[in-house]
Amino acid sequence: MNGDLQERIEHWFAQGAAAVGNAEAEAAFFELRGKLEAGELRAAEPDASVPLGWRVNGWVKRGILLGFRIGTMTEMGGETLRFIDKHTFPVRKFVVADGVRVVPGGVSARSGAYVAKGVALIPPSYVNVGAYVDEGTMVDSHALVGSCAQVGRRVHLSAAAQIGGVLEPVNASPVIIEDDCLIGGNTGVYEGTVVRKRAVLAAGTVLTRGTPVYDLVKGEIYKATAEMPLVIPEGAVVVPGSRAVSKGKGAEWGLSLAAPVIVKYRDEKTELSLVLEEILR
Protein backbone atom coordinates (compact mmCIF):
# COMPACT_ATOMS: atom_id res chain seq x y z
CA MET A 1 0.00 0.00 0.00
CA ASN A 2 2.87 2.34 0.78
CA GLY A 3 4.25 1.54 -2.67
CA ASP A 4 1.25 3.23 -4.26
CA LEU A 5 1.63 6.23 -1.94
CA GLN A 6 5.34 6.45 -2.75
CA GLU A 7 4.57 6.54 -6.48
CA ARG A 8 2.05 9.36 -6.01
CA ILE A 9 4.39 11.37 -3.79
CA GLU A 10 7.27 10.97 -6.24
CA HIS A 11 4.99 11.98 -9.13
CA TRP A 12 3.68 15.15 -7.53
CA PHE A 13 7.06 16.14 -6.12
CA ALA A 14 8.50 15.92 -9.65
CA GLN A 15 5.75 18.25 -10.94
CA GLY A 16 7.25 21.21 -9.09
CA ALA A 17 5.00 24.27 -9.03
CA ALA A 18 2.38 22.42 -11.09
CA ALA A 19 1.42 20.49 -7.92
CA VAL A 20 0.29 23.67 -6.16
CA GLY A 21 -3.49 23.78 -5.93
CA ASN A 22 -3.89 20.23 -7.20
CA ALA A 23 -6.38 18.20 -5.12
CA GLU A 24 -4.67 14.88 -5.89
CA ALA A 25 -1.29 16.20 -4.76
CA GLU A 26 -2.85 17.48 -1.56
CA ALA A 27 -4.59 14.16 -0.93
CA ALA A 28 -1.32 12.26 -1.38
CA PHE A 29 0.43 14.56 1.07
CA PHE A 30 -2.32 14.33 3.69
CA GLU A 31 -2.18 10.53 3.48
CA LEU A 32 1.58 10.68 4.03
CA ARG A 33 1.16 13.08 6.94
CA GLY A 34 -1.40 10.81 8.57
CA LYS A 35 0.87 7.79 8.28
CA LEU A 36 3.78 9.74 9.78
CA GLU A 37 1.64 10.79 12.76
CA ALA A 38 0.50 7.20 13.26
CA GLY A 39 4.07 5.87 13.16
CA GLU A 40 3.28 3.79 10.08
CA LEU A 41 5.90 5.63 8.02
CA ARG A 42 9.26 7.00 9.10
CA ALA A 43 11.81 9.28 7.50
CA ALA A 44 14.44 6.77 8.65
CA GLU A 45 14.03 3.31 10.14
CA PRO A 46 16.16 0.49 11.55
CA ASP A 47 17.62 -1.79 8.88
CA ALA A 48 20.24 -4.36 9.85
CA SER A 49 21.16 -4.91 6.19
CA VAL A 50 22.93 -1.53 5.84
CA PRO A 51 26.23 -0.55 7.53
CA LEU A 52 24.73 2.20 9.70
CA GLY A 53 21.85 0.00 10.84
CA TRP A 54 19.37 2.66 9.67
CA ARG A 55 17.81 3.25 6.26
CA VAL A 56 16.80 6.73 5.11
CA ASN A 57 13.49 6.91 3.25
CA GLY A 58 14.19 9.76 0.88
CA TRP A 59 10.73 9.64 -0.67
CA VAL A 60 9.17 10.38 2.73
CA LYS A 61 11.30 13.50 3.02
CA ARG A 62 10.26 14.49 -0.49
CA GLY A 63 6.67 14.07 0.63
CA ILE A 64 7.23 16.48 3.52
CA LEU A 65 8.83 18.98 1.17
CA LEU A 66 5.82 18.56 -1.14
CA GLY A 67 3.63 19.59 1.78
CA PHE A 68 5.55 22.82 2.18
CA ARG A 69 5.41 23.48 -1.56
CA ILE A 70 1.66 23.07 -1.91
CA GLY A 71 0.73 24.66 1.42
CA THR A 72 -0.86 28.09 1.53
CA MET A 73 -0.50 30.59 4.35
CA THR A 74 -3.41 30.57 6.75
CA GLU A 75 -4.37 31.81 10.20
CA MET A 76 -4.58 29.22 12.98
CA GLY A 77 -5.39 29.22 16.67
CA GLY A 78 -7.94 31.12 18.70
CA GLU A 79 -8.53 34.72 19.62
CA THR A 80 -5.62 35.09 22.05
CA LEU A 81 -3.03 32.77 20.52
CA ARG A 82 -2.88 33.10 16.74
CA PHE A 83 -0.42 31.61 14.30
CA ILE A 84 0.26 31.97 10.59
CA ASP A 85 1.73 28.98 8.77
CA LYS A 86 1.17 26.67 5.81
CA HIS A 87 -2.24 25.05 6.03
CA THR A 88 -0.61 21.68 5.42
CA PHE A 89 1.23 21.79 8.77
CA PRO A 90 -1.09 22.74 11.63
CA VAL A 91 -0.20 22.04 15.24
CA ARG A 92 -0.85 18.44 16.30
CA LYS A 93 -3.83 17.89 18.55
CA PHE A 94 -3.66 15.30 21.32
CA VAL A 95 -6.43 13.58 23.27
CA VAL A 96 -6.27 11.54 26.48
CA ALA A 97 -6.45 8.29 24.50
CA ASP A 98 -3.14 9.15 22.80
CA GLY A 99 -1.38 8.53 26.13
CA VAL A 100 0.93 11.52 25.65
CA ARG A 101 1.48 13.84 28.63
CA VAL A 102 1.36 17.40 27.31
CA VAL A 103 2.09 19.72 30.23
CA PRO A 104 0.51 23.22 30.15
CA GLY A 105 2.72 26.16 29.34
CA GLY A 106 3.76 26.12 25.71
CA VAL A 107 4.35 22.78 23.98
CA SER A 108 4.11 22.38 20.22
CA ALA A 109 4.24 19.23 18.13
CA ARG A 110 3.79 19.85 14.43
CA SER A 111 1.45 17.68 12.39
CA GLY A 112 3.33 14.86 10.72
CA ALA A 113 5.34 14.10 13.88
CA TYR A 114 4.92 10.74 15.62
CA VAL A 115 4.70 10.94 19.41
CA ALA A 116 4.16 7.55 21.05
CA LYS A 117 2.19 6.63 24.14
CA GLY A 118 3.99 7.34 27.39
CA VAL A 119 5.90 10.32 25.99
CA ALA A 120 6.01 13.44 28.18
CA LEU A 121 6.29 16.85 26.51
CA ILE A 122 7.39 19.47 29.03
CA PRO A 123 6.96 23.18 28.19
CA PRO A 124 8.36 24.88 26.33
CA SER A 125 9.44 22.19 23.88
CA TYR A 126 9.00 21.55 20.16
CA VAL A 127 8.72 18.45 17.99
CA ASN A 128 8.97 19.15 14.27
CA VAL A 129 7.42 17.45 11.26
CA GLY A 130 8.73 13.99 10.35
CA ALA A 131 10.21 13.42 13.81
CA TYR A 132 9.65 10.08 15.53
CA VAL A 133 9.57 10.02 19.35
CA ASP A 134 9.13 6.54 20.79
CA GLU A 135 7.48 5.24 23.98
CA GLY A 136 8.48 6.41 27.44
CA THR A 137 10.64 9.31 26.26
CA MET A 138 10.69 12.68 28.00
CA VAL A 139 11.18 15.87 25.99
CA ASP A 140 12.11 18.34 28.70
CA SER A 141 11.85 22.13 28.89
CA HIS A 142 13.34 24.11 25.98
CA ALA A 143 14.22 20.86 24.18
CA LEU A 144 13.94 20.56 20.40
CA VAL A 145 13.35 17.46 18.28
CA GLY A 146 14.13 18.59 14.75
CA SER A 147 12.48 17.57 11.48
CA CYS A 148 12.85 13.85 10.75
CA ALA A 149 14.95 13.21 13.89
CA GLN A 150 14.49 9.70 15.29
CA VAL A 151 14.33 9.30 19.08
CA GLY A 152 14.03 5.87 20.63
CA ARG A 153 12.31 4.42 23.68
CA ARG A 154 12.90 5.66 27.25
CA VAL A 155 15.17 8.52 26.18
CA HIS A 156 15.47 11.61 28.35
CA LEU A 157 16.10 14.78 26.39
CA SER A 158 17.09 17.11 29.23
CA ALA A 159 16.39 20.83 29.44
CA ALA A 160 17.56 22.80 26.39
CA ALA A 161 18.78 19.69 24.52
CA GLN A 162 18.83 20.33 20.78
CA ILE A 163 18.31 17.34 18.48
CA GLY A 164 18.95 18.67 15.00
CA GLY A 165 16.75 17.93 12.04
CA VAL A 166 17.34 17.55 8.34
CA LEU A 167 15.02 17.60 5.34
CA GLU A 168 17.58 18.33 2.65
CA PRO A 169 19.48 16.72 1.13
CA VAL A 170 16.74 14.11 1.18
CA ASN A 171 19.15 11.17 1.28
CA ALA A 172 21.04 12.53 4.30
CA SER A 173 20.60 10.61 7.54
CA PRO A 174 18.79 12.56 10.26
CA VAL A 175 20.00 12.67 13.85
CA ILE A 176 19.22 9.34 15.51
CA ILE A 177 19.04 8.80 19.29
CA GLU A 178 18.58 5.11 20.04
CA ASP A 179 16.82 3.53 23.04
CA ASP A 180 17.59 4.29 26.70
CA CYS A 181 19.91 7.25 26.10
CA LEU A 182 20.29 10.17 28.48
CA ILE A 183 20.89 13.45 26.64
CA GLY A 184 22.04 16.06 29.15
CA GLY A 185 21.04 19.68 29.45
CA ASN A 186 22.27 22.18 26.87
CA THR A 187 23.58 19.44 24.61
CA GLY A 188 23.50 19.69 20.84
CA VAL A 189 23.37 16.70 18.48
CA TYR A 190 23.46 17.73 14.84
CA GLU A 191 24.19 16.78 11.21
CA GLY A 192 23.08 13.15 11.19
CA THR A 193 24.97 12.03 14.30
CA VAL A 194 23.89 8.62 15.59
CA VAL A 195 23.89 8.02 19.36
CA ARG A 196 23.72 4.28 20.03
CA LYS A 197 21.66 2.59 22.76
CA ARG A 198 22.21 3.48 26.43
CA ALA A 199 24.74 6.22 25.72
CA VAL A 200 24.94 9.21 28.05
CA LEU A 201 25.79 12.71 26.83
CA ALA A 202 26.80 14.92 29.73
CA ALA A 203 25.47 18.48 29.94
CA GLY A 204 26.98 20.82 27.39
CA THR A 205 28.23 18.15 24.98
CA VAL A 206 28.01 19.20 21.31
CA LEU A 207 28.27 16.65 18.49
CA THR A 208 28.43 17.54 14.79
CA ARG A 209 29.63 15.91 11.59
CA GLY A 210 32.96 17.69 11.99
CA THR A 211 33.43 16.81 15.66
CA PRO A 212 36.04 14.16 16.52
CA VAL A 213 35.22 12.21 19.69
CA TYR A 214 38.07 10.84 21.80
CA ASP A 215 37.55 7.48 23.52
CA LEU A 216 39.84 7.32 26.55
CA VAL A 217 38.63 3.82 27.40
CA LYS A 218 39.32 2.12 24.05
CA GLY A 219 42.03 4.48 22.80
CA GLU A 220 40.14 5.35 19.61
CA ILE A 221 39.01 8.52 17.85
CA TYR A 222 35.58 8.54 16.20
CA LYS A 223 34.93 10.77 13.18
CA ALA A 224 32.37 11.06 10.43
CA THR A 225 33.42 9.97 6.95
CA ALA A 226 32.09 10.65 3.47
CA GLU A 227 29.91 7.54 3.78
CA MET A 228 29.08 7.49 7.48
CA PRO A 229 28.01 10.07 10.07
CA LEU A 230 29.56 10.42 13.49
CA VAL A 231 28.50 7.43 15.60
CA ILE A 232 28.66 7.34 19.40
CA PRO A 233 29.13 3.74 20.63
CA GLU A 234 26.55 1.91 22.71
CA GLY A 235 26.75 2.69 26.42
CA ALA A 236 29.38 5.41 26.04
CA VAL A 237 29.47 8.23 28.59
CA VAL A 238 30.52 11.40 26.75
CA VAL A 239 31.58 14.63 28.46
CA PRO A 240 32.75 17.98 27.08
CA GLY A 241 36.52 18.18 26.82
CA SER A 242 39.22 20.10 25.00
CA ARG A 243 42.37 19.48 22.99
CA ALA A 244 45.31 21.82 22.72
CA VAL A 245 46.10 23.65 19.49
CA SER A 246 49.61 22.50 18.66
CA LYS A 247 50.59 24.86 15.82
CA GLY A 248 50.74 28.52 14.91
CA LYS A 249 49.13 31.28 16.89
CA GLY A 250 46.83 28.82 18.63
CA ALA A 251 49.80 27.15 20.28
CA GLU A 252 51.47 30.49 20.96
CA TRP A 253 48.35 31.81 22.67
CA GLY A 254 47.70 28.59 24.58
CA LEU A 255 44.33 27.96 22.95
CA SER A 256 42.36 24.73 22.92
CA LEU A 257 39.41 23.43 20.89
CA ALA A 258 36.29 21.67 22.09
CA ALA A 259 36.66 17.88 22.01
CA PRO A 260 33.98 15.53 23.38
CA VAL A 261 35.56 12.72 25.39
CA ILE A 262 34.29 9.24 26.25
CA VAL A 263 35.43 8.80 29.84
CA LYS A 264 33.67 5.51 30.64
CA TYR A 265 30.95 3.11 29.59
CA ARG A 266 27.73 2.70 31.55
CA ASP A 267 28.00 0.50 34.64
CA GLU A 268 26.02 -0.08 37.85
CA LYS A 269 26.98 3.31 39.28
CA THR A 270 25.76 5.03 36.14
CA GLU A 271 22.53 3.05 36.33
CA LEU A 272 21.95 4.10 39.94
CA SER A 273 22.36 7.74 38.99
CA LEU A 274 19.53 7.32 36.46
CA VAL A 275 16.96 5.87 38.87
CA LEU A 276 15.44 9.33 39.34
CA GLU A 277 14.88 9.59 35.59
CA GLU A 278 12.77 6.42 35.68
CA ILE A 279 10.69 7.74 38.59
CA LEU A 280 10.05 11.03 36.78
CA ARG A 281 8.76 9.20 33.73
Side-chain angles (χ1 to χ4, degrees):
M1 186 162 182
N2 287 339
D4 171 68
L5 177 59
Q6 179 176 353
E7 289 180 4
R8 287 184 285 139
I9 290 293
E10 299 281 24
H11 169 76
W12 289 112
F13 182 80
Q15 298 305 304
V20 178
N22 186 286
E24 292 185 12
E26 192 167 288
F29 167 73
F30 284 144
E31 183 177 342
L32 175 90
R33 193 184 75 182
K35 287 180 176 291
L36 284 169
E37 285 190 13
E40 297 172 8
L41 279 180
R42 300 175 66 165
E45 58 188 300
D47 185 345
S49 69
V50 297
L52 185 62
W54 288 80
R55 182 182 75 252
V56 177
N57 295 321
W59 74 272
V60 173
K61 289 187 179 183
R62 283 187 283 274
I64 295 171
L65 291 170
L66 174 66
F68 282 107
R69 179 182 294 163
I70 66 177
T72 57
M73 298 294 279
T74 186
E75 293 184 4
M76 307 177 193
E79 291 301 318
T80 55
L81 289 175
R82 299 188 66 79
F83 314 96
I84 300 174
D85 198 1
K86 297 293 184 76
H87 81 285
T88 43
F89 291 103
V91 173
R92 269 208 63 175
K93 295 180 180 179
F94 294 97
V95 296
V96 172
D98 292 328
V100 178
R101 185 157 63 103
V102 183
V103 180
V107 168
S108 181
R110 211 172 195 176
S111 59
Y114 174 70
V115 183
K117 287 187 175 181
V119 170
L121 301 177
I122 311 301
S125 59
Y126 187 73
V127 181
N128 209 346
V129 59
Y132 188 102
V133 183
D134 217 334
E135 297 176 357
T137 286
M138 176 179 283
V139 182
D140 215 333
S141 300
H142 295 278
L144 164 71
V145 182
S147 56
C148 299
Q150 306 291 299
V151 180
R153 295 180 177 88
R154 299 173 298 277
V155 173
H156 187 147
L157 301 181
S158 300
Q162 304 290 290
I163 307 303
V166 60
L167 273 173
E168 295 182 283
V170 292
N171 292 322
S173 174
V175 172
I176 296 168
I177 311 294
E178 295 186 346
D179 296 348
D180 298 301
C181 288
L182 174 61
I183 309 300
N186 288 293
T187 57
V189 187
Y190 306 110
E191 298 175 336
T193 296
V194 176
V195 181
R196 296 294 192 198
K197 294 178 180 179
R198 302 179 64 253
V200 176
L201 304 185
T205 302
V206 176
L207 304 174
T208 71
R209 188 169 182 82
T211 305
V213 176
Y214 295 81
D215 190 336
L216 300 184
V217 180
K218 298 181 179 179
E220 298 182 14
I221 302 174
Y222 305 115
K223 299 179 181 180
T225 67
E227 295 79 24
M228 295 282 284
L230 175 66
V231 178
I232 301 302
E234 181 173 337
V237 179
V238 189
V239 304
S242 62
R243 55 192 174 106
V245 177
S246 59
K247 297 179 181 179
K249 285 293 184 181
E252 180 183 335
W253 292 339
L255 299 180
S256 60
L257 300 174
V261 177
I262 297 174
V263 293
K264 61 182 292 187
Y265 283 76
R266 279 175 73 167
D267 54 21
E268 291 182 3
K269 291 182 180 179
T270 315
E271 304 306 327
L272 287 173
S273 71
L274 298 179
V275 169
L276 180 58
E277 305 298 333
E278 187 64 32
I279 293 173
L280 289 173
R281 293 185 185 128

